[in-house]
Amino acid sequence: MTKILRHMRDWVVAIAILALSLLIIAKLESDQAQRFEGSFLAIDGDTLVSGGDRLRLEGVDAPELDQTCTRPDGEPYSCGADARQILADLVGAGAWQCSGTDHDRYRRLLVICRRGSDDLGRLLVASGAALAEGRYLAEEGLARREGRGIWNGGFERPSDWRRMRKLEGAEQTAWVRTLVPHWILTWLGE
């Protein structure tokens, strides 16, 4: 019986040490988070600038600035510019606090921005100005069902739109390389 009690005690101690270690790690990570508050400038539908720092909203993907979508009647409109304006209006309403620890491949800090109980990414997705990217899936479903923002017409997912533009750029570059002699490309630094 005492052997069983010792094993139980050892397990309880081990679990307590593990829990304490996880709390310390969470605290250290929280202390390392970069925090921003005050005024923000909307660069596009999911990117902000604070001072000289570029911040990317985590969990959302908004149409690119020069991306167009279509209205229900088939008329094109600049959904990328609309997404930027919605983000600008939201951050212009003031008092947002953004924080994050990770960076994306473009070295932008990935942030979650809050003002009281409001979450900036959640508001963008719920308005139909951006798509959910791992977070805010319930808000995206609601925006889709209610036909808000880009869900009120036709659009190409921003990630697909970017991929197609990259492929088009690669095709143009390949076409130029077939017509221009190699020594000219070398001289131009291509």
Side-chain angles (χ1 to χ4, degrees), residues 36-40 50 91 94-97:
F36 298 86
E37 57 185 84
S39 61
F40 296 95
S50 177
V91 296
W96 290 96
Q97 297 177 343

Side-chain angles (χ1 to χ4, degrees), residues 105-124:
R105 64 182 176 164
Y106 302 109
R107 299 165 110 177
R108 298 175 295 188
L109 182 65
L110 295 170
V111 296
I112 295 176
C113 299
R114 293 196 167 90
R115 178 181 62 194
S117 63
D118 289 335
D119 179 306
L120 188 55
R122 178 171 281 116
L123 293 174
L124 283 171

Side-chain angles (χ1 to χ4, degrees), residues 78-143:
S78 180
C79 54
D82 284 1
R84 179 187 174 278
Q85 188 60 54
I86 290 168
L87 179 58
D89 292 345
L90 286 168
V91 296
W96 290 96
Q97 297 177 343
C98 302
S99 66
T101 56
D102 296 326
H103 290 81
D104 68 4
R105 64 182 176 164
Y106 302 109
R107 299 165 110 177
R108 298 175 295 188
L109 182 65
L110 295 170
V111 296
I112 295 176
C113 299
R114 293 196 167 90
R115 178 181 62 194
S117 63
D118 289 335
D119 179 306
L120 188 55
R122 178 171 281 116
L123 293 174
L124 283 171
V125 172
S127 72
L131 300 175
E133 204 174 57
R135 291 178 171 254
Y136 317 121
L137 293 174
E139 290 79 6
E140 180 180 294
L142 183 62

